[in-house]
Each structure stands twice: as C-alpha cells, then as structure tokens.
Amino acid sequence: MDMQTLNPKIKARGREFFQSISGEAPTVFNKGWWTGKVMDWAMRNEQFKIQLFRFVDVLPYLNTTESLNRHIQEYFVAEDQEIPAVLKWGAKGAGMGKGLAGKVMTKTIRSNIEGMAKQFIIGENTKQAIKNLNKLRKDGFAFTVDILGEATVSEEEGVEYQTNYLHLMDALAQEAKSWKGLGGNSGDWGHAPLTNISIKPSALYSQARPSDFENTVQAIFDRLMPVLDKAMAMGCHVCIDMEQYKYKDITLEVFKRLRSHEKFREYPHIAIVLQSYLLDTDQDLDALLHWARTEHLPISIRLVKGAYWDYETVLAKQHGWDIPVYINKHETDAAFERQTATILRNSDICHYACGSHNIRSIAAAQEMAEELGVPEEQYEFQVLYGMAEPVRKGLRNVAKRVRLYCPYGELIPGMAYLVRRLLENTANESFLKQSFADHEDVDHLLEDPALLAQSGPLSREKTPAPPPLSPSEPFRNEPAPDFTKESERVAYPEALAEVRRQLGRTYPLYINGQEVTTEDLLPSLNPADPGEVVGSVCQASTREIDEAIAAANEALPAWRDLAPEDRAQYIFRAADIARKNIHTLSAWQILEVGKQWNQAHGDVAEAIDFMEYYARDMIRLGRPRRTGKAPGELTHYFYQSKGIAAVIGPWNFPLAISCGMSAASLVTGNCVLYKPAGLSSVVGHTLCQIFRDAGLPPGVFNFVPGRGSVIGDYLVDHPDIALVAFTGSLDVGLRIIERAARLQPGQEHVKKVIAEMGGKNAIIVDDDADLDEAVADIIYSAFGYQGQKCSACSRVIVLDSIYDKFMHRLTKAAQSLPIGPAEDPGNFMGPVVDKGQQDKVNAAVALAEEEGNVVLKRDDHPDTGSYAPLTIVENITPEHRLAQEEIFGPVLAVMRVKDFDQALQWANSTPYALTGAVFSRSPQHLDRARTEFRVGNLYLNRGSTGSMVERHPFGGFKLSGVGSKTGGPDYLLQFMDPRTATENTMRRGFAPIIEGDDWLD
Amino acid sequence: MDMQTLNPKIKARGREFFQSISGEAPTVFNKGWWTGKVMDWAMRNEQFKIQLFRFVDVLPYLNTTESLNRHIQEYFVAEDQEIPAVLKWGAKGAGMGKGLAGKVMTKTIRSNIEGMAKQFIIGENTKQAIKNLNKLRKDGFAFTVDILGEATVSEEEGVEYQTNYLHLMDALAQEAKSWKGLGGNSGDWGHAPLTNISIKPSALYSQARPSDFENTVQAIFDRLMPVLDKAMAMGCHVCIDMEQYKYKDITLEVFKRLRSHEKFREYPHIAIVLQSYLLDTDQDLDALLHWARTEHLPISIRLVKGAYWDYETVLAKQHGWDIPVYINKHETDAAFERQTATILRNSDICHYACGSHNIRSIAAAQEMAEELGVPEEQYEFQVLYGMAEPVRKGLRNVAKRVRLYCPYGELIPGMAYLVRRLLENTANESFLKQSFADHEDVDHLLEDPALLAQSGPLSREKTPAPPPLSPSEPFRNEPAPDFTKESERVAYPEALAEVRRQLGRTYPLYINGQEVTTEDLLPSLNPADPGEVVGSVCQASTREIDEAIAAANEALPAWRDLAPEDRAQYIFRAADIARKNIHTLSAWQILEVGKQWNQAHGDVAEAIDFMEYYARDMIRLGRPRRTGKAPGELTHYFYQSKGIAAVIGPWNFPLAISCGMSAASLVTGNCVLYKPAGLSSVVGHTLCQIFRDAGLPPGVFNFVPGRGSVIGDYLVDHPDIALVAFTGSLDVGLRIIERAARLQPGQEHVKKVIAEMGGKNAIIVDDDADLDEAVADIIYSAFGYQGQKCSACSRVIVLDSIYDKFMHRLTKAAQSLPIGPAEDPGNFMGPVVDKGQQDKVNAAVALAEEEGNVVLKRDDHPDTGSYAPLTIVENITPEHRLAQEEIFGPVLAVMRVKDFDQALQWANSTPYALTGAVFSRSPQHLDRARTEFRVGNLYLNRGSTGSMVERHPFGGFKLSGVGSKTGGPDYLLQFMDPRTATENTMRRGFAPIIEGDDWLD
C-alpha cells in the first residue's frame, strides 16, 4: 500500500467521521455534569488530578462516614481551606462542609464518583452485566466481557477467577439462547459467535514469574483449558488479554500452545491481543503470523495501543532496563497502522480486531481493509464500554461491526479500572482529550502519525538502557535481572553448572599478596543438600592474623597517601570484574547459602553498586574543601584513613555486605583484614578473588577466614586495628563494641566500630491499604530468602477493620508459595542456611505456638536440606518474645491493632529500629509515619526489603546499628578522620588574594 | 584655598616636572638590567610575582648551595620544567641548571637579588651607611636614617635596637663634624639639623599591646628618652615612625608625652608621621594641631600615604573589624592633599615633610605652600632611598629641600624591606608603576584625586565591619576584640568590677525548668587569689541525675520533632544573649579560671560562633535530601536526634566548649544534661543562664554540676543516655568510652561518645623559618593561657642549622613575658587554674630537670595564687616522658633534629594527633607537612592555638579524640541518626513525574 495515495482517503474518511458526530462529546468531557466539570478541573490542575485519581482509587475502602470525611479532608483540603467547589457541585448545602450538611456532601461526593465508575463498568455482578449486555446488543453492538478482579496473590484467587469465568460463561450461554445475531443472521454479522469473553492470564496463576517461564506457561495453560473447553462447547469467543510486558512472551506462548492444542485446532475463536506501543510488536506479529501459516491455524488478533505505558516506563527506569514501549505517542500510532496493514495483508489466516478510539487509526484501518479487499468477516472494531461514546456511535454507523469491551465486577477493582480510564482520557497525548476537550485542529488529528513521529524523539535511540557504568559517569544502580530475556533465563542454569564443576575445592587465605594455607579446614555445605560440599576453606589462627596485620601495617603508608582518585580506580576495576562475572558469582551464592536467582543477583548487583558508589563518593570527599574565606589564610578540610580495618561479614548477604564494608574501607585508604562468615566463606573467597584481580597492592586487602572462637576477639582486641566494620547479630555486635572500646597496651587510637545488627521490622497495614500491593509485598518482605534478611518483615501490624480480609488473602498467598531448592526458579522459598539456623527457627515456631495462634505452618517442604516451616502466627502483642526477638527465618508475627496510633506505637515498641513499612492511602497517616515510625529505612506503600545503594541508604539505629547508613552520603566519613591544614599566606604584610576570599568589593 | 584655581597650576607644575625628567625611569623599571627585566615579568605574571617576592624574603636564610638550589627549584620550577629564563639572565651557562653550571647560575641569582636589595639599603652596617650618606649629601640630598631590624620579640632585642640607635647617633655626630649644611649655610638649608634619624617605636618594646595601652606608652617612652637626650645633645632630628594601625594611638601618645616633656619643650626637632590612608587621620591631625597650639609647642609632621595597606585590610577582614584604611587609592591621595593643606595652614606651629613619590602630590604641596606663603624652612620633601630616582632628581632641581629616607641594616631585615619596596613599585595602583612602567597619560596622573575618588567605591560605606550577625545571614565569626578602641579597653575593668560585686553567691542546679538546690556545695576560687571565692555551686547527687533524665525523657518527643529551623531559633537567641553580655561573660572567666582579657573574649566569642554555626548547619542538614532519582519513587534522607545527651565540659574553655557541645546537642534535637567542670562551674552556670534566657522548654537543657566521683560514672552508665559529649583528659575520656560501650539493663541503643581529649602538639621550625613570626607565635602557642589548652604547643622541633639563633630569641622572648594576675592586661601569663594543676606542672618541671636541660624556668611570679613556672627544656627526644605526656601547663620541650624528615618523624611520634604547626618557607616542606604531619589541625606559618569556628574546624584523632571536628561540616552528624523514608508513588500503574526524576530525555 502506498500511504501517499492512501493518506488523502484516510483523511477524507476521518473528516467525514468527525462531521458525522459533530457537536457530540464523550460523557467524561460533558461539562454539564459533575464528571465533566471535575475532569475539566483535573486537566487544568495537575495536583488536583493526582489527588482525585488517588482518592478514587481508595474510595471503596472508605466504609465509614468518618473515614470518608477524613480522606476528603486529607486529599483535597489544604490548610485552612475548603473542599474545592468543583467537588461539591451537586451537593445540597455545599459550602458548609460541617455537621449534617457535611455528611450529606461527602455522601454526594461518594455517589458522584461511584456513578462515574458505573459509567465504565457494565455491572457489579453477572446479573447486572447480562442485563446491560442485552441492552447493548439491542443498540446494535457486539460485546466482549471481562471480569474485573483484584491482583491474584494466591492460588485460591487464581482458581476463583477461573471459576468466575466458567460461571459467567454458563450464564451467557443461557442468555444467548434468546439472542439473534446482529445484522439478523445466525452469528453476529453472519459469522461471529454471539458470546465473547476476554481473560487476563496472570490473574489465573498467583506464581507467574518470567524467571519461571515454563512453569508459568504451563500453569496458566492448565487453568485456561477448562475455560476453552467450555467456550468450544458453547461456541464462545475467547480473547487472551495482553497485560504488562513481563508477561508478554508467556502469554504468546500460552496462546500458541492452546491454539495448537489438538482439542482446539479446529476452533478458530481463540484470540490474542498485541500492543502497538511495544517495540517488540512488529517482530512478534511477524513471528505469530509465520507460526499460524506454518501450523495452518487461522488466528485472531486484537490490536491495541497498550494501557501500561506509565507503568512500563517507570518500571524500566527503576530497574535499569530498556524501555519496552515507544516514548513518542506518534510512533505508537504509526506502529498501530503498520501492524494493522500487516494483519490485514494476512487476512486469510488472521482475523483483525481494531482496538482504538482514535479516529485516524480507525479510518486508516478502514481504508486499508478496503484497499486490500479484506472480507468483512475478517475484521471488526472494538472500543471500551463507557468511553468515547460519539466514536462508538459513529463507528456503528460507518463500520457496523463494533464490539464493546465490557468489564464488570465489584467496586474495588472497579475503581482501579476507573482510574486507568480517567488517566487515559486526561493524558495530554490522548486522542480523545485532544479531540473532545482541547478541540484540536481536525486536520492535525488526522495527520499520518508516521510523519508526525519524525519530529519527535526516536524511541529506538532513547529507550535502550545505557551500557555498563563507566567511572566517568555519575553513579547509577546495576540493572535488575530482566528475566523477560531468554538469555538471562538460561544464564543461571549455565552458571550453576559451571560452578558445580568447581565444588569441593580447598581455599587458602590471602595475606600480603600471597596465598596461605592452614591445616584447619572448614567445609561449606549446600543448604538444600548438605551432602554437597561447596568448598573447604582454610581457617586462620592468631598467627595468620598477626601476619596479616604486619602486612597491612607495611602497606598502609603508601595506600593511605595514594590519591583518592587512584584508590577509586582499583575499586572501579573490582566492580567491573564483578559485573562481568555476575552470573557465576550469583551461582556460588545459590549453592552456598541458598539464595534464589533474583536474590543472588540482587546481592551481586548490590556489591557492584557499593563499589561504584563508594569509589565516586571518595572522589567527591577526596577533594580538599576550603573552609572559611578569610583573606590571608587558606584552610583545607580533608580526610585521612583510620588505619587497619577488620571487616567481619555476615552470611546472608555474603558478597554485597562484605564487599560494601571492604570497598568502603579500602577506598578511604584503610588496609583490610576480611573475615567472612563461616557459612559463606566460599563466597567470601570470591570477594578476595575480585580484589586480587583488581590488582590491589600486597597487604592492602587480606582474606582471613577463621573461626570466631579462635580469632574473633583476637582480631577485635588487636591494638593495631583502628576500625571494625561488622554486620551480623546483635550479640556479636555488642561484644565487638564493648571489647573495641577497651584501650589495649600499645594501642594509639580510639577504635571505631561500624556495626549493623538486627531488626524486628514491622509493616503496618492501614484500614485503607491497597491489599493487592500489601499482601504481595509483605509476602516478599517476610519470606523472601526465607526471611533471612535483617530488613525482613517479621511483624505485620494490621488495623482491625481490614484485618480479616487481609489475613485471609495473606494466609492464602503464603500457602501458595512453592518451596524447594533455590536453584529451581519455580521455588519462592528454599531451606534456611544451615541446621543451626533451622533449629533456631523451629524453636521460634514452637514459641509461636505457645504465645499466639499459628494460622499457617508450612511443613510441606523437601525432606533433604535445612528447611524451616514458613509460619504465620497471630494474636501477638508487644509483650511477646515473638514481637521482640529477631528470628531470622520465615516466621511472621501478626499484631492486630485498633487504630493507626496504636499501630505506630507497637511498630516502635522494640529495641530495634531498622526497617519498616506502611501500606496506607491516607496522606496524613503517611506523613505521620514519616516522622513517627522511627526506623532507619521506612517504606511507604512498598515492602521493607530490597534497599538499593544511593536510592535507599541502608541502616538503622537503637540496637539495630550505630546509625550509619551504607550506600549513603555519610557512610564513608566513618572510615576516616577529618583533618585541616591552614596556611597563613600573609608574608611580610602581603597576602595574595585568591578566589573565594571574603575581599573588598 | 580654591582647588578650582589651584588645580591648573598644580597640573602645569606637574607637567613641567614630568618634562624635566622625561626619558628617565627608576632603576627598578629599567629593562636593560636584571631587576627591570624581572620586575617586568613579575608585573605581567601574578603567580611569578608572588613566588619571586616570597623567594626574596627567604633568600638570606639560604646559607648553603643545596638549600639555595632546592628553594629555587621549589619556588620557580614547575614539574619537568626549567627555571624561568628571566631569572637566569646574566648567568653564564644559563639553560643548563645542573652541576657546576647550575651552581654558578644559582649563585648569580642570589647575587642579582642581593644587588637589588642593596639598591634600597644604604648599607649593611653603620660604617657603610655613613659612607653612603656622605655621598648623598655630596649629591645635595639631606637624609634621615633608619635602622632595619627583625621584629622585636624580647626585651633584649628592644634594648639592642635602642643601643643601635645610640651608637648610630654617636657615629653620625662624629661624622657630622666634617659636614657643611646643604645650601652652604649652617644647618641644612639654613635651618635643619644635619643629622636626622627615624625610629620605630614598636621595635623598642617587645610587649607592646594595644590592650595594655598605658604600660606600652610608658615603656616606649622610657626607651626613647635616652635617644632624645642624645639627639638634643648633638642637635639631631628624631622622627618617630608610624607603623601598623594598632600602634597608632600609642605612638601619638608617646610623641605628645615626649614633645611636651619638660626636657624637650624647647627642642623642636621631634617629628611624628601621619598616614593619609587612615580614615582617622583628618581627626588625628586636627587634634594634634590643636594640642600643639594649646601647648604652644611647635611640632613636625611627616605626612605619608601609608605602607601597610595589604596588612591592615587583611587583618581587619580576618578579625571582623572596621577597615581602618581607604580602600580607594584616590581617596588616600585626596586625603594627602587635604592634610597637606591643613598642615601648611598651620605652618606657624607645624613643620611639614611631604613624604611621597607621587608627582601630583608633590606638585600640590608645592602649589599650596606657595599659595599660603609658607616659609621655606617650614616644609621639605622626603623620598625613599633607592626609589623613584627620577623623582628625587627632579625634586632636588625644583624643590631643593629633599631628604632621603635611608634604611640600613643586615640582609635579613633588608630583604624583608626589599619585598615591601618591590610590592610598592609593582602594585597596580602605584603612581610609579603607572608613570614609569605603564606610561599612563600624564594628564590623568595629574588629575585632582578628589575628583577621581568620586568615581570609585566610597571607603566610608565599605570599610565598617558589618553589624552583629543576624540569623538570615551566612555564618561569620564574632569579631575579635579591637583594643585600639578605648571603649573596648575600658569595658574590661568595668565588667570585672561588676562581676566582683556578685562574687560569693550560691548557684543552684537547673532541672526541668526549675532551680534545684542541694546541700553539697563546691566553692570555686580565683586562681590568682584563692582567698577570693568566685561562687559556690550546688552539686548533684544521683537523685538529681535521675530527676534530670526523667525531665529530659519527658521533653524529648516534642523537642526531637520540632522543626530544625525552630530549634535553631532558640540557639540564635542564646547567641544573641551571649553577644550582648560578652564582657561580663569574659570577666567571669578572668576571675574563675584566670584567662587573660583576650583569651576570655576569645572563649566567649567562640561560644557565640558555635551557636551561630551549628544553628545554621542544622538548618542545612534539617532539609530532607532526596536520594536517588528513580521515577515512581521518592526517598528523603533526613536526621533524627539520638535522644538524651550528657555534656561533660572542661574548665579550660569553660564557656566555648561546653556551649559548643550543648548547642550541637540541642539544635540536633537532643535533650541535655550538662555537667561543667568543678573548677569552672560558675562559668558553667552562666551557660545555663544563657539557655534559660533563650527560653528553651523545661527539661530540654538541664544544669547538673556534680562531683565526678559521685555522678560521673552514674551519668555515663545510665541506660537512657544516648550520647556523651565529652572534652577533657585522656584518662577520663577513655574511661567514658569504655563504660559507655557496655549495654546496661534497659538500654535500647548503642551509646555514642564524642570525646575530645589531649594533645602533645609540636611546632616544627624549619631551617628557613621566618623567626620573627616563629618565635612570637610559639611563645603565644606554648604559654598563652599558661599552656592550658589542648591545642597548646608543648614540643618545638627545631632544625639543627637554625637551632641556636632560634633558641636564643625564644628564650629571651619567654624571659620578657610579664607574669601576674590575668585581670591586668599587662600580664602575658597568669597562674594555672588551681593548686592541683600547679602541682602537676611542678612535677613536670622536675621531670624536665631530670630528662633534659632546663634553659628557662621563670620563678619570678607573684607569691599569691597558683603560679607555675614558665619552663623551657631542651635536649628532649621522643623517648622522654616530656615528649609523650600532656602537661597542660607552660612547659615547652625543645627537640633538636638534623633535618625535616626527622622533624616530621618526631612530630608524629606521640599517641596524640591534635594540632601542629610548621614554620617554613620551603614550598615543598609545607606541602609534605600537609600530608605527612598527621594531626587534626595543622597550621603552616602560624601558631597552633586559636582555631576559629568554620575557619579551622577543630579536633584530632589517635588518642586526641574520636575524629570529630567541632565547628566543622561533619560535627552535627554525630549527634543524630540518619533516616530515610521512601514512598512508592506509583498507584494503579500511574506515577506523577516530579522534578529531579531520571525521566525520559
């Protein structure tokens, strides 16, 4: 097709379309009504729009007048002001806002917003939905129906979603008996099934994860089979919706397996959705068409622009990934036309559903179909129920085959759906807004998007994530693993195999640039299979400690006085080495300490981040700063390393934390004796190898694994140790702090101890929390890596009014988690690190059974390996040991509170203050939490784990630590002493005046 | 006189003058010679100029070829480069720079520079001087002769300076016998004495101090009497030179007392100098003329522009004083003409000497004298020997009565004098440079300076020091006391009298906003008179500590969460209260702990500075910082106070340090229990009063003086204490550190200890040190406030080759210090703080007598009071206790080293690392010291005490402290724990993009 020829036709058709609906506007823009007024105000006031949409989102949770009132105040009323007039429109007694009149008004606001939601939702239940579908059909529209639902956090919810569809289909089948096809024939328009459903694959399976590709595909496939069976039996069309990018390949695979399944090869009414905003879609479409042709299977594609643009871009930016979508709306529109053409050219094997409200896109599809002579039964038009009413009316008139996408369901998911629709309508780039609110020039609206796109930024250039960080760039985090990429998914089994070939080796110490072996060996075992020896590590005695200290003393003067930039270069090199070996380094952790793929990757990425961040921060701090500005005097403020650092690492973040403490010590000019935790000393050796490969001078970094009982106190007490960087348990931390404070004979300094210790972290679930997020994030925070993180959630504090609903979902979600060896990406949880830890957790579980009411105890784990039961215990109050003592395992204490005040009070009621989180949609409660939830790292509407370097400087106070924060701007200061050098620059009464002097002017 | 009439005449005369010397240039600008070439290069290259002048200054100290060579390299040779060609000019073998040729070249450089010096100096000794004076007289010039000398640091040097003049006068008298008057009459020009000397009053008396006005005047007067006696006897004119502004009023007073002394009332040949660049001079001149007229005493004034402009401006800026000089050169020139006119109008009682090389100034003086009909014998012209030869020649031709100011003396002071002359010649505003180097337009050069001044900045508006700091301004230091102001000098006796009326009172504790008395009283005594009870202070028992902690716990939540800006306001108010009471607060210290006026003032000023600085710094730190820039997420990094602080203060900076630790604790949101040192608990109570008056809420600041033995451990051990801020001795500091590290039952945090402990500070005197500065600064650093500062110099490390000269001057200087009660400003040193301290110092002196060679032990102090002998002991090496242990008294150990390497090694050879200083003029040694002299506060060419807030953040490491720095950018961080709050701002897939997000583009 030649667009030069086609464009005038498309434009003519578009103009005709516009004319046919002239003067009409979608309800949402109708300023005669509340919705239109509020939308108008929202479009002109970004802050109000954000508040409004967030309020809409939380509204269904506001079950009492008090709560509704309070939220209206918090969302809309600035200090000493009134509710914006626009919101009150239509309320009797508006303007008063207090007492009875206020009550009436807030009720009016609620009912106005609920009314707005109802506009987009065909009903709150099957009965209502079917009644309204009947009405639609009478108006000449076909439909596809979709069941709204909350996020699926448990298998119970996945099954329920499936069941709902089966019930819906039964009801539709029953109702359809009385229907005639649109256009008066059998089947709609003579060819289409009368019933038609759309279904979201991720809602069917709670454990869908790109890293677990095959299991996820299979699980969704299995849940869809009964739906398809029924569909074929009743003659119902099934469209598998496309959701977030991370599920795209999974969904395509599910579709292909279903479509080609022997049962359904002859059943053509199975469709899939493609999103034009994805950069992948041209390729995906070609592949899909090629597959259909090869398999001789006619398929059906609904082409849409895509509804997760904000989410995809933000997520990609947050994770350091390629942005998967076009960043220029015109490019998406152009892709839509391009892909429309592709599908229409293949109309012999592909039915096309044009899913757009954009009149240019619609007109283009029409012209192309006409140009290509596509038979009418091979294409149709789809629009969303409640949206763009003039477009749907115009379409019905000109294109006839119009299907409405009709969601139905309860208010909670309904409101979330409403928010999406409102965002879509009010986005500046929305065709509807441009057409019906902004009244842009029709010719411009109908312009070929391929031409318009050329003047904007080019997504292909802008969206790829930048290459690995180079020392000259500002810090950014190492990207998260992108398991949508097959290369990432296969890298793990390969790395595991490679590492497995190296198991069982013996690892020496590394002192003064030399490998040193000792007789005392410590074997390190795979927690999932204690028969598998990961490695044996030589253990230092005090003699080796003395040797290492002698070497460090020797190396110190040169290292301390090396320019900070030069020290930083070594650390940059080390970061680079770690980056190049990220999969192997992860694999060692998977086998030695039982980290899941993503947890292990996160650990190595954090190690890289620490190095990249501290090296840059040292360059910043390494520049002497002038203090004061008196003329005739020049003072520089600069830092000097403290001397020899003992770095004592934990096993739970065996690379990241050890690397962070070591890199910080090194880059600030200290020499290091690094003692890894015994349980992770092979990973400890990988850190040693990284620094060796980075070429640090002999004696600067020494690897001295050893038994705490043999060398622990000796190292801490040594008079030449200037600083101890420790991360680990409270008991050991306090012992170090106390011992290091005693001046030893020959010691010429006060020792510095940087100690990060435990946590007893709470997450508060407010009565208006978004449970979709809260449940998923609490599961991850409490049970991710078996709860063996100092940041793990070990207490959840739930407000009374939401308690039952939350607990039900949480328990079911926890029940759904697959448990087994970490190396299998299908498992969410694995064994705890060793037998000792297993015993500790079991003891805690026994205590839980004494102190509270255990609502879940997962004993369904493999027999081999040090598994501990995932446990949820309720009825816990601050007096219980379970509310006070760190467990370091998958045991979650649930505390029920009457209100938010009590929640904060209980949250703060332990001697720890490390992390915490709040799920709430009350702006005031979030604000209060910021101040009054006194922990080092507080997260609002997010889980309590997964802090990232620079973004979330990590560390707590009280007994959680000494108040440092790793990966933050103050961390390195602890490793150095500040110095000043002041030069009197006046000689013989003459002082050169230099820039920055407070001089005459 | 009407300048409109006069100006054309002045210009005409000036043009004539220029014409008469047309084509001639001062030697210094003659590019045919080495000097002119080098000056030309210096004027075009500021960095070279600075290096050159500094090199000239140090040259006479470079006694070996090695040293000379090394300095030439260090001053002039950038990395891998050669000596600048201009410097090598005239040297054979130039360009090679190594080996023998290099030796020749460096010798040439030395002799070229020495030759340059000789141009400005009439001889190196009396004999040479007289020979050259003879020559001058033959050329028709009169002279005044001035003896160059190093700074007078001891009475021996003051007497020597006097003696040198007496000898010079004898020689002149002898020589003058053969002279005839210039112009052929008796006396020069028929009226003037043939011999004429100029003398610097401050050089006659080593203890000259504006604060000690009367003693200083009397001492100089006494030293001048024999000179005047001899002058009158031989008929010699004596001019009392004017030096730095600080001596101006002293000099005027000396002049008046001498001139009006009954012996000299009839001897008119006593002159004084006035400096036109001083804003005071119009007024001083009027007063002086009025005095002369009232007293019927004819006087003689030499009017000059003034030679200390750089020094005066820098000094005033450094101390926060009004700048005493015009900052616009034209204003000075205009003042010169105005004052010339004033003097000439009073020619009946005042002889005028016009001291300028400025042809406009000279022409104006001539025209004015003519206009006013001033008799020739009532005015003359003076120019500097070696300067502006064309001017002096021209002057002789037109004005006849020309006197050359002829300095003579040794090379060391000669070089310093040369530097001044070079600076004067090469300053951009120099008339000579403008005339003879820049060849500016003659008409412009001859313009009326009063007109030119109007286009520049107005000194009257620009030079006053700004008013007291307001909270909205950036930090600046509280001004130093300006004892040139009489108001400042009388403020002390008045404040002392006021305080004395309040002595002997009883002071209560202050807990929870209430005064609390106890039975246990501790009297505090005046160390200069232990019979004088300064006050009695109630001592806390553990009961009061418990009460104070309960009050602090009660007050904490509100105080901690108060906005940082609001907390800062209380501290600003406290600073304001201290500022308003600075003299009374100082007086309390003078009487309670024996601080001298300036030392006490410095302490109170530092207290104010701490408050002003910390309050501002908290406002800075109080702003939550965003960390990371991921979209969809907003993290703020902020700080929270640690809780309850125990502030334990020392007696030696009884207000400043206690106030600093308290203000830092408070402004960061901690509640405070403040325990002052027993010896300074009345001053401690003044701090309490300041915070009470500032209106702090009850319980936030509690004053709990008490006996260490009773409450010390109890306070530190208390489980509710979160931080201890301590300044004091090493023993107590280590005890606190050790005890605070033990977790006590009920304690829910790790305690923070901020400890500043002792020092064993060394000052290195390099072989090229400027001894004028080194001796004076070491005296002040070692013996200021009786050496009772942690920053005090207690070791001086002297290079072998300068040892004898330095030690002689140092010992004589120390011998000269007046010792007695601190309240008398005449005393440099007073008693140590109490009997206990006296015993300790005496024990150290006994040890000194054992370990080394005591070269000075000042037992000549009052009998009453706890005086300890000022002691200097040599032959000390690092092995001696005297080189290792802090004494905290006026005992100075001298260590002799062979070279700078050993000096650094010995300097670092103690377990302390607090302050240190180096006197050196070797750029490389200064650079090495910056890195290798490892102390918290290093000073280059400055004493080791007197650090100022912000300018010199104070504190050390090793056993001197925990590596904090008061008054610096990192200090407050120690009083707080960092926190982060991260909000996930994405809801329903939508995240508002905010400024700072790493977003698309």
Side-chain angles (χ1 to χ4, degrees), chain B residues 917-939:
Chain B
V918 176
F919 285 89
S920 173
R921 283 178 287 191
S922 155
Q924 200 201 63
H925 286 182
L926 292 175
D927 263 358
R928 278 190 60 192
R930 263 181 246 271
T931 306
E932 296 174 41
F933 194 160
R934 300 184 192 279
V935 290
N937 285 66
L938 178 70
Y939 299 99

Side-chain angles (χ1 to χ4, degrees), chain B residues 489-563:
Chain B
R489 294 197 297 265
V490 302
Y492 282 85
E494 282 172 7
L496 283 161
E498 188 195 323
V499 163
R500 205 155 243 140
R501 283 192 291 274
Q502 300 174 46
L503 293 191
R505 290 188 185 171
T506 297
Y507 296 93
L509 284 64
Y510 184 71
I511 295 171
N512 203 18
Q514 304 289 328
E515 295 188 353
V516 174
T517 55
T518 63
E519 298 294 307
D520 181 13
L521 293 181
L522 183 75
S524 180
L525 315 175
N526 179 349
D529 178 6
E532 191 169 57
V533 177
V534 175
S536 291
V537 181
C538 292
Q539 302 291 291
S541 70
T542 57
R543 206 183 88 178
E544 284 78 30
I545 297 298
D546 284 341
E547 284 170 13
I549 284 184
N553 268 323
E554 182 79 14
L556 183 62
W559 183 246
R560 174 174 58 189
D561 289 344
L562 195 64

Side-chain angles (χ1 to χ4, degrees), chain A residues 679-706:
Chain A
L679 290 170
S680 64
S681 37
V682 174
V683 169
H685 185 265
T686 65
L687 178 61
C688 175
Q689 197 58 47
I690 289 168
F691 285 129
R692 278 182 74 166
D693 292 349
L696 285 172
V700 168
F701 178 87
N702 303 280
F703 177 61
V704 288

Side-chain angles (χ1 to χ4, degrees), chain B residues 13-27:
Chain B
R13 187 185 285 266
R15 271 191 293 270
E16 202 178 310
F17 196 122
F18 268 112
Q19 260 164 0
S20 78
I21 59 171
S22 154
E24 296 181 51
T27 315

Side-chain angles (χ1 to χ4, degrees), chain B residues 588-642:
Chain B
W588 280 110
Q589 298 197 22
I590 293 167
L591 294 182
E592 190 177 33
V593 297
K595 288 214 160 188
Q596 288 74 22
W597 292 9
N598 59 338
Q599 303 278 1
H601 190 285
D603 184 281
V604 183
E606 190 175 12
I608 297 168
D609 283 353
F610 278 135
M611 292 191 276
E612 295 281 1
Y613 180 84
Y614 292 145
R616 281 171 179 76
D617 216 37
M618 188 61 228
I619 292 173
R620 171 180 74 89
L621 293 168
R623 289 182 205 110
R625 261 180 290 181
R626 181 175 184 184
T627 56
K629 47 187 181 171
E633 169 177 297
L634 186 59
T635 299
H636 283 122
Y637 186 95
F638 58 101
Y639 299 98
Q640 174 178 301
S641 71
K642 285 190 175 275

Side-chain angles (χ1 to χ4, degrees), chain B residues 520 539-545 675 706-715:
Chain B
D520 181 13
Q539 302 291 291
S541 70
T542 57
R543 206 183 88 178
E544 284 78 30
I545 297 298
K675 184 191 115 41
R707 298 173 197 275
S709 57
V710 177
I711 62 160
D713 288 347
Y714 188 78
L715 186 56

Side-chain angles (χ1 to χ4, degrees), chain B residues 54-62 68 110 113-114 415:
Chain B
R54 290 183 164 186
F55 178 73
V56 165
D57 181 44
V58 73
L59 182 63
Y61 281 70
L62 310 179
L68 180 63
R110 181 202 289 273
I113 291 178
E114 288 179 0
M415 282 297 170

